[in-house]
Amino acid sequence: MQGIPPELEVYPVHHLPIIKAYADQLGLVGLINHYVPTGMDVDAGTVVLGLVLDTLSGRSPLYRLEEFFAHQDTELLLGKTLPPQAFTDDTVGRVLDRLYDFGTMRLFTACAVRAAMQFGLERRYVHFDTTSRSVWGAYEFAETQDLPFQVTYGYSKDKRPDLKQFILSTLCVDRAVPIWGKFDDGNASDKTLNTTLLSEIAQLLAGHGVAPGAYIYIADAALVTQDNLAALRDTLFITRLPATYSECERVIGEAVARNQWEEVGVLAHTPPTQHRPGTCYKVAEDVVTLYDKTYRAVVVHSSSQNQRRHKRLERELQASSTMLAATVREATRQEYFCHADAEAAAATLRALPSAYHRVEVRVEERPRYGPGRPSRKQPRVVKALRYGLQVTLHERAEVIAGKKQAMGCFVLLTNVSTTGEMAHRAGDVLQAYKEQHGIEQNYGFLKDPLIVNSLFLKKPERIEALGLVLLLALLLWRLMERTLRGHVESTGEPLTGWDKKATQQPTAFMMMTKFAAVMVIKVGGQRRLTRPLSPVQQQYLLALRVPATYFTAPQSG
């Protein structure tokens, strides 16, 4: 740049020093180096930190680390001065191989245990879910080759059945912070994955200091199979009862008929708006028997599901009305020579099957008169008497009202007691299950093209190692968001969100946008910001508990 001294350098650091601060709190570099020592010029922990920073930078794509650090202050972001050439694709590839050889999930579990201790994570609720991740390329390997998982075709949650994929399973706690992850074959079933995990979960959580009976396993409806329910044994759980089970329809019908609901109200943390009104919930208790065992069933009525499904009900009503109307039109055109035939036809119409309509039929006389103009003085002479049908369709108001109620319902299945240390009322069961949405947001993060671009690595081993990097990035991302929200809750002071509006639910992505314009000038060994941090940026740093010096003074970590 003309006019800038050659010793002056400008770096767009954005929010990356905050990522470095949280990696330091976790002890990420030291932890990786402890388990994966290398004799390379750059240690594995530093390469992993570089990959995490690259992942959370919003740069695309997630490789060619050398290009990324050509425009970054490595001393500030990594704690040591390294040339961009230290991060060649070959170097990164060798580190990924070393991570895989040691065991990616062993490394992630060690980091997650450290995070739980350092940040005091609540581990009472453990959420499980899976997602698919599509990849490009043929990925054809010999059948005899020992692979960590098969990249193959399967049910695509990315809605890309034309691409091969692998499955990623995660366990999350306390505001969707991941503590475990695993890669599986692209055609693996969620039901089977649940069974496998249930045989290991007690040992896994014991490593986090969580005793059996001190946690509740929460998963989606794929958990409900005979094998999985048997594998749960004494493990406390909350899941959703699939609508394919007859017990689900039964308890919903009985709850609607009883109409004895417990109001739960709005569970969302964000205030409702005119265009997005808050969803109101109410619950009712019941029991179901599955595979000769009895469980608690919490019937949940959701106002938002009501609204969504009402449109489907309206279509069903319209279809029922249209079908009956066509039959009725044809019947009303018919004439009968005797009253008995007309009554028989009326009885047939009244018996027409319809869930939503009742057919009212009345037999009417249709006299036939002789030719000529009628006399004013004499009544018309009836030459013949015919019979017809007069039909009226009535909606079954009570049935439709019950159907509307039932359409807004779903059923939660649990073995958690209403008494004792782990006691949960019906409303508590619902609130715990609703946190499952957070883990689904994690998958949105892992698939966001601003965060993670398409995977082009050709070896499943390296995909798994890169998956470790993605999980570590997600771990730091969630820890930051958890800290932001904890600050708001503890202080009662909202942060500045979108469009400069105050928010009670700040996100890590909000934080990322607030620091988008932050740049650092380096002259010799001295650094300063191109402009002072704004009040909003200082507000976020205070909430995150990150010193502003992370933007101008290298930290060794």
Side-chain angles (χ1 to χ4, degrees):
M1 296 176 65
Q2 189 173 2
I4 297 180
E7 69 274 9
L8 187 148
E9 300 167 287
V10 181
Y11 298 103
V13 297
H14 308 312
H15 60 289
L16 295 181
I18 299 175
I19 309 296
K20 170 67 163 59
Y22 270 73
D24 287 351
Q25 287 188 54
L26 189 62
L28 177 64
V29 173
L31 207 55
I32 297 294
N33 288 337
H34 173 74
Y35 290 110
V36 189
T38 66
M40 300 165 58
D41 293 336
V42 56
D43 57 88
T46 300
V47 172
V48 169
L49 175 58
L51 285 166
V52 168
L53 289 167
D54 187 23
T55 301
L56 297 177
S57 69
R59 189 184 75 100
S60 173
L62 180 59
Y63 57 96
R64 296 177 185 169
L65 212 56
E66 183 177 358
E67 293 181 9
F68 173 65
F69 280 111
H71 307 286
Q72 295 295 338
D73 185 344
T74 56
E75 186 182 11
L76 183 68
L77 297 182
L78 300 175
K80 60 184 73 174
T81 303
L82 290 169
Q85 295 77 20
F87 299 94
T88 62
D89 286 351
D90 286 342
T91 299
V92 174
R94 287 199 300 273
V95 169
L96 292 176
D97 290 340
R98 295 287 185 87
L99 297 176
Y100 174 78
D101 291 340
F102 178 80
T104 56
M105 290 309 103
R106 287 175 64 193
L107 282 171
F108 183 72
T109 299
C111 293
V113 170
R114 175 75 64 84
M117 296 171 57
Q118 191 74 20
F119 291 86
L121 299 180
E122 170 62 54
R123 286 153 287 178
R124 190 182 197 196
Y125 300 110
V126 183
H127 295 261
F128 173 78
D129 206 351
T130 67
T131 191
S132 59
R133 188 69 172 88
S134 299
V135 295
W136 301 84
Y139 288 92
E140 295 176 351
F141 302 95
E143 292 184 4
T144 56
Q145 190 170 345
D146 185 20
L147 300 175
F149 55 87
Q150 293 289 337
V151 180
T152 186
Y153 297 106
Y155 174 72
S156 175
K157 298 180 182 181
D158 292 336
K159 302 189 185 303
R160 289 301 306 267
D162 57 312
L163 297 177
K164 290 185 177 181
Q165 64 181 22
F166 58 87
I167 300 296
L168 172 61
S169 308
T170 57
L171 275 180
C172 296
V173 298
D174 198 357
R175 302 179 195 266
V177 177
I179 61 167
W180 175 87
K182 186 174 183 292
F183 294 86
D184 286 287
D185 298 347
N187 57 1
S189 163
D190 282 8
K191 297 177 180 179
T192 305
L193 295 176
N194 264 294
T195 308
T196 304
L197 175 60
L198 288 171
S199 65
E200 306 169 358
I201 190 170
Q203 182 179 355
L204 171 69
L205 292 175
H208 284 267
V210 183
Y215 63 89
I216 299 174
Y217 180 73
I218 302 175
D220 62 17
L223 177 63
V224 185
T225 68
Q226 186 172 3
D227 289 342
N228 287 343
L229 292 176
L232 281 163
R233 298 178 183 171
D234 296 327
T235 300
L236 300 178
F237 73 90
I238 298 173
T239 187
R240 184 164 176 165
L241 181 61
T244 51
Y245 282 76
S246 59
E247 286 283 77
C248 181
E249 182 179 358
R250 178 185 67 79
V251 292
I252 288 177
E254 291 178 0
V256 169
R258 286 195 306 268
N259 197 29
Q260 295 176 354
W261 301 93
E262 174 191 339
E263 294 292 339
V264 176
V266 178
L267 295 180
H269 299 290
T270 53
T273 64
Q274 180 181 356
H275 300 291
R276 296 188 65 182
T279 300
C280 290
Y281 295 96
K282 53 187 180 181
V283 294
E285 281 267 7
D286 209 326
V287 294
V288 296
T289 301
L290 301 177
Y291 309 111
D292 301 322
K293 192 169 182 179
T294 302
Y295 301 92
R296 283 177 70 193
V298 178
V299 181
V300 182
H301 180 272
S302 163
S303 61
S304 63
Q305 286 207 357
N306 233 1
Q307 294 165 7
R308 289 194 300 268
R309 295 177 178 179
H310 275 186
K311 293 182 179 179
R312 189 178 75 187
L313 178 59
E314 289 171 3
R315 291 194 297 269
E316 291 178 2
L317 285 170
Q318 183 61 41
S320 173
S321 176
T322 301
M323 182 186 70
L324 288 175
T327 305
V328 164
R329 278 196 304 272
E330 183 65 28
T332 54
R333 294 193 188 106
Q334 297 291 328
E335 290 192 339
Y336 302 91
F337 287 91
C338 70
H339 188 274
D341 289 346
E343 283 291 355
T348 302
L349 278 180
R350 293 189 191 103
L352 282 176
S354 174
Y356 304 120
H357 292 88
R358 176 174 57 83
V359 183
E360 181 183 335
V361 187
R362 184 170 62 85
V363 177
E364 61 180 5
E365 294 181 348
R366 296 178 183 176
R368 291 289 181 266
Y369 302 99
R373 180 178 298 177
S375 170
R376 292 182 179 179
K377 298 180 180 180
Q378 298 291 332
R380 297 184 69 181
V381 177
V382 176
K383 305 291 287 184
L385 191 61
R386 303 286 186 267
Y387 299 92
L389 303 179
Q390 189 177 52
V391 184
T392 307
L393 294 181
H394 299 280
E395 287 189 349
R396 300 181 186 271
E398 291 185 1
V399 172
I400 293 172
K403 186 76 171 179
K404 286 180 177 179
Q405 279 266 42
M407 278 190 155
C409 294
F410 59 92
V411 180
L412 297 180
L413 186 75
T414 183
N415 63 348
V416 181
S417 176
T418 55
T419 60
E421 187 178 349
M422 299 294 287
H424 279 59
R425 297 180 299 105
D428 299 330
V429 171
L430 170 62
Q431 190 146 12
Y433 182 78
K434 289 296 292 180
E435 293 300 319
Q436 185 78 355
H437 176 63
I439 192 171
E440 293 164 1
Q441 288 179 323
N442 284 352
Y443 293 141
F445 167 93
L446 291 172
K447 296 180 181 184
D448 190 332
L450 288 175
I451 305 294
V452 182
N453 206 1
S454 300
L455 299 180
F456 291 89
L457 297 177
K458 297 303 178 186
K459 294 172 64 178
E461 294 88 344
R462 288 190 177 179
I463 289 180
E464 180 171 319
L466 185 59
L468 167 65
V469 173
L470 300 182
L471 285 172
L472 289 171
L474 176 60
L475 175 63
L476 294 176
W477 192 255
R478 281 301 183 198
L479 288 173
M480 289 187 294
E481 187 165 296
R482 174 183 177 276
T483 304
L484 287 172
R485 297 192 177 187
H487 172 82
V488 171
E489 290 175 5
S490 63
T491 64
E493 298 176 1
L495 295 176
T496 304
W498 305 122
D499 300 325
K500 299 181 180 180
K501 296 178 181 177
T503 179
Q504 300 284 344
Q505 293 291 301
T507 66
F509 189 70
M510 280 182 191
M511 175 277 296
M512 177 180 174
T513 63
K514 302 306 178 189
F515 290 84
V518 176
M519 303 180 76
V520 169
I521 297 175
K522 180 182 177 185
V523 182
Q526 300 297 314
R527 295 172 177 81
R528 65 179 179 84
L529 297 170
T530 56
R531 64 180 64 182
L533 294 172
S534 69
V536 171
Q537 291 166 341
Q538 294 179 36
Q539 180 190 43
Y540 270 84
L541 288 182
L542 176 65
L544 288 162
R545 303 170 192 164
V546 174
T549 52
Y550 261 89
F551 285 84
T552 53
Q555 309 289 324
S556 63

